[in-house]
Amino acid sequence: MYKVLVIDDDTAIQELLRRVLQKQGYEVTVASDGEEGLEKAKLLQPALIICDWVMPRLTGIEVCRKVKANPTLSTTFFILLTSLGTVQNRVKGLDAGADDFISKPIEMNELKARVRAGLRLHQLSQDLQTQKQLLEKELAEAADYVRSLLPESITEPVKIESLFIPSRQLGGDCFDYYWLDENYLAIYLLDVAGHGLRAALPSVSVLNLLRSKAIPHINYHQPSDVLRALNNTYQITNENDKYFTIWYGVYNRSQGQLIYSSAGHPPAILVSGNGELTQANKLKTLGMPIGMFPDATYMDDFCIVEKFSSLYIFSDGVYEIPQPGGDIWGIDNYINLILECSRNGFCNLDKILDYVRELNGSKVFSDDFSLLKVVFG
């Protein structure tokens, strides 16, 4: 049984509407002014409200605004009862959130029809809200699953910490690090084009594929070979229009050497030295994003890693922060931030995140924010 609330300071109108609507099978409650009507609306959560426009204390327009501003009442269908028939008045009512109007004197058949139509729309809104809640619950469960796949921080023999903040519940970024054997550490970060579920699925697929070493006949110690195999596996097709960038490196613990390859991804930043002598080197190789071209080539490069150096691997969402005037904060400013923090002897990921959030002006980023820090000690 739908609940209907009638708000009118005219007791004759109250009684008329109550009797007519009760005969239609609705549960009807009446209120004599706007303040009483608001209190009853919050208590009863009616499906539909019929409210007089001109009333003492609170007008119908004011009641409408307050009802529509209340999250628990936002789907309530609101009908303004009015003798004000000008276009300007109706525009004013619509701008306040009114869903429909009934003119005085009231024509009963029109009233019944408008109430039926309003309740149908209310039910549709309720159904959509229910589906939205179910979808949000499923997305939250999927996001928890993705987070459960990401590796935990480690402290020995190298220290690795991470930040993963998708722009939505699900994002296209993903990363992993694990020992190929007791001497070689593989570490990578990838960024699938787009956001949401369609971007999260390929990223999880790549993580599971690499972690299980399911691609045959490749050398997981050679980054370019891994990227070549991924490019052959994840080519863009009519069914799959997603490509991704990736930075992949392998650290040789005994030799202190890092070999790496990248596919359209931002460079990793290797910070070494102490104090004013601290310097940053960009680690990047030429290579198109994975999936764009079947004949794309990838190459390796390497560097010697000094003791206590730090390696930062990240997605472009870390530094592509819009600024007033339309500019982008940019990677050079991001590298300068890392250097400044390192020279001061304190560069943890939370400090970087706080700084970037302040630049962004919001805790919610327009792109996925993923950041790895590896300290070689």
Side-chain angles (χ1 to χ4, degrees), residues 305-321:
V305 179
E306 298 176 6
K307 195 173 184 182
F308 304 120
S309 296
S310 297
L311 179 69
Y312 295 85
I313 310 168
F314 45 87
S315 60
D316 56 12
V318 171
Y319 60 84
E320 288 187 347
I321 306 298

Side-chain angles (χ1 to χ4, degrees), residues 52 113 125 135 142 176 190 201 252 262 269 292 372 374:
D52 191 19
S125 296
L135 180 59
D176 202 4
L190 65 93
L201 291 176
N252 184 329
S262 58
I269 306 301
M292 277 193 170
L372 295 176
V374 185

Side-chain angles (χ1 to χ4, degrees), residues 340-355:
E340 182 182 351
C341 293
S342 300
R343 286 166 181 160
N344 292 331
F346 187 70
C347 193
N348 66 28
L349 300 192
D350 288 335
K351 185 174 182 179
I352 294 175
L353 176 61
D354 290 342
Y355 186 91

Side-chain angles (χ1 to χ4, degrees), residues 68 232 287 370:
K68 292 300 182 178
N232 292 334
S370 296

Side-chain angles (χ1 to χ4, degrees), residues 48-191:
L48 185 142
I49 294 175
I50 301 174
C51 182
D52 191 19
W53 186 309
V54 180
M55 293 186 298
R57 304 179 73 175
L58 279 181
T59 67
I61 286 286
E62 292 169 322
V63 173
C64 183
R65 287 198 182 100
K66 291 179 180 294
V67 165
K68 292 300 182 178
N70 188 321
T72 62
L73 296 172
S74 59
T75 62
T76 298
F77 197 85
F78 199 99
I79 298 176
L80 274 173
L81 187 62
T82 178
S83 58
L84 305 175
T86 67
V87 172
Q88 291 85 349
N89 285 322
R90 289 182 179 270
V91 168
K92 185 178 179 181
L94 291 170
D95 285 341
D99 299 297
D100 203 352
F101 301 88
I102 294 177
S103 299
K104 292 182 178 179
I106 302 171
E107 204 289 313
M108 288 301 145
N109 287 328
E110 179 188 11
L111 168 71
K112 297 172 187 176
R114 290 188 182 277
V115 168
R116 288 195 299 268
L119 290 173
R120 287 197 299 270
L121 290 173
H122 167 76
Q123 187 60 54
L124 286 173
S125 296
Q126 289 288 94
D127 293 344
L128 286 173
Q129 192 171 62
T130 299
Q131 291 302 315
K132 180 175 178 288
Q133 291 170 349
L134 290 173
L135 180 59
E136 288 177 345
K137 180 182 177 182
E138 292 177 358
L139 286 174
E141 291 173 351
D144 289 341
Y145 169 70
V146 172
R147 289 182 180 278
S148 74
L149 294 177
L150 299 177
E152 298 287 341
S153 298
I154 61 175
T155 56
E156 292 182 356
V158 298
K159 180 181 179 181
I160 305 180
E161 52 185 330
S162 64
L163 283 175
F164 173 65
I165 305 173
S167 59
R168 302 178 185 175
Q169 283 183 304
L170 288 169
D173 288 3
C174 200
F175 57 81
D176 202 4
Y177 41 85
Y178 47 85
W179 292 93
L180 296 170
D181 54 46
E182 63 181 11
N183 193 48
Y184 289 92
L185 172 71
I187 181 169
Y188 66 86
L189 190 149
L190 65 93
D191 180 359

